[in-house]
Amino acid sequence: MKKATKKEILEIHQLFIERYDDAVTELTYKNAYELVIAVALSAQCTDKRVNIITPPLFLKYPTPQLLAQADINDVKSFINSCSFFNNKAKNIILMAQRVVEIYNGAIPMNEKDLQTLAGVGQKTANVVMIEYTGANLMAVDTHVFRVAHRLGLSDDKTASKTEATLVRKFKNDLHALHQGMVLFGRYICTAKNPKCEECFLTEFCRTTKTFKV
Ligand code: SF4
């Protein structure tokens, strides 16, 4: 696959920013505590599903202090329509316990401390930072990975290498680029039957002609 040239990378960067400058996550949340949990639950699960299960969960457990003392089976009963709910229930309780014990009940807002919380890896930490603080970070989920490869921005085999490549190539506005690539991949450059007729990046597309208009 032919890699995107420097000129193309600049143009792709510009087009994403023009279109998605104000884009934010589709997860619903009211504060950092709810955001961390929503992002953690969204792994291998749709935002739509997470937005259905979190309101009653947050109603019952509105603070880390309350979630830290929760019965795991009760938490499971709120999130059992979400994939990997057994592990996720265990992790969000452990996460709340650490937030209470180590961080005085406040979610630590930097990616290193976030990653010390149960169930929070680099991608989840970066997504939280991008969304909550507008940090100049990239996070590569399935949508960003697919879009980056179709546009010739990356030929890396893993999400973490793709992240490093996108950071190196785009350099700035990473938070808007991340949000934009997620939405573009979710609604236009979909895994199956991408809506190429709606695409504003066809001239940069490296995928098979069958996708192209
Ligand atoms: S032309 Fe189609 S496959 Fe290529 S980037 Fe656009 S939507 Fe994706």
Side-chain angles (χ1 to χ4, degrees):
M1 181 188 68
K2 192 168 163 278
K3 287 185 183 176
T5 63
K6 280 187 180 169
K7 181 170 175 287
E8 287 177 319
I9 292 166
L10 282 174
E11 287 173 4
I12 292 168
H13 180 290
Q14 180 67 22
L15 287 167
F16 266 117
I17 296 301
E18 279 171 13
R19 196 171 175 117
Y20 293 108
D21 194 25
D22 297 332
V24 292
T25 181
E26 294 187 315
L27 292 168
T28 52
Y29 66 96
K30 294 195 291 294
N31 50 49
Y33 160 70
E34 292 189 1
L35 176 62
V36 173
I37 291 177
V39 175
L41 292 178
S42 72
Q44 312 290 321
C45 187
T46 64
D47 287 5
K48 204 170 161 187
R49 165 68 35 204
V50 173
N51 287 340
I52 291 170
I53 63 179
T54 50
L57 176 71
F58 296 146
L59 198 61
K60 175 107 184 248
Y61 301 106
T63 63
Q65 287 82 355
L66 287 169
L67 184 59
Q69 295 168 19
D71 174 79
I72 189 164
N73 289 319
D74 189 50
V75 174
K76 283 183 191 176
S77 73
F78 284 98
I79 68 169
N80 63 12
S81 61
C82 189
S83 52
F84 306 110
F85 69 92
N86 286 314
N87 261 342
K88 287 177 179 174
K90 185 180 78 180
N91 281 337
I92 63 174
I93 293 172
L94 286 172
M95 182 273 283
Q97 288 171 351
R98 183 169 171 83
V99 167
V100 171
E101 287 163 17
I102 308 293
Y103 298 104
N104 207 20
I107 300 294
M109 238 351 121
N110 69 75
E111 59 270 34
K112 285 214 170 69
D113 285 337
L114 279 169
Q115 285 181 62
T116 69
L117 305 177
V120 178
Q122 182 176 328
K123 189 185 82 177
T124 298
N126 284 10
V127 170
V128 169
M129 291 298 295
I130 289 166
E131 173 64 23
Y132 205 73
T133 72
N136 192 43
L137 293 169
M138 177 54 68
V140 174
D141 68 359
T142 181
H143 302 301
V144 176
F145 187 86
R146 181 175 63 255
V147 168
H149 284 70
R150 285 182 177 171
L151 294 174
L153 296 168
S154 164
D155 58 3
D156 300 300
K157 300 283 183 276
T158 65
S160 61
K161 285 184 179 167
T162 301
E163 180 190 314
T165 298
L166 291 176
V167 169
R168 195 176 68 249
K169 290 187 173 173
F170 283 141
K171 293 186 180 58
N172 48 41
D173 301 318
L174 297 179
H175 63 291
L177 289 161
H178 164 78
Q179 306 281 31
M181 290 174 86
V182 170
L183 294 177
F184 178 66
R186 185 175 290 159
Y187 295 111
I188 298 177
C189 192
T190 47
K192 288 183 190 163
N193 305 318
K195 298 178 182 61
C196 302
E197 67 284 356
E198 295 176 28
C199 182
F200 58 99
L201 297 166
T202 48
E203 64 184 293
F204 307 104
C205 185
R206 301 311 204 247
T207 55
T208 62
K209 287 185 178 162
T210 53
F211 283 164
K212 289 199 180 184
V213 285

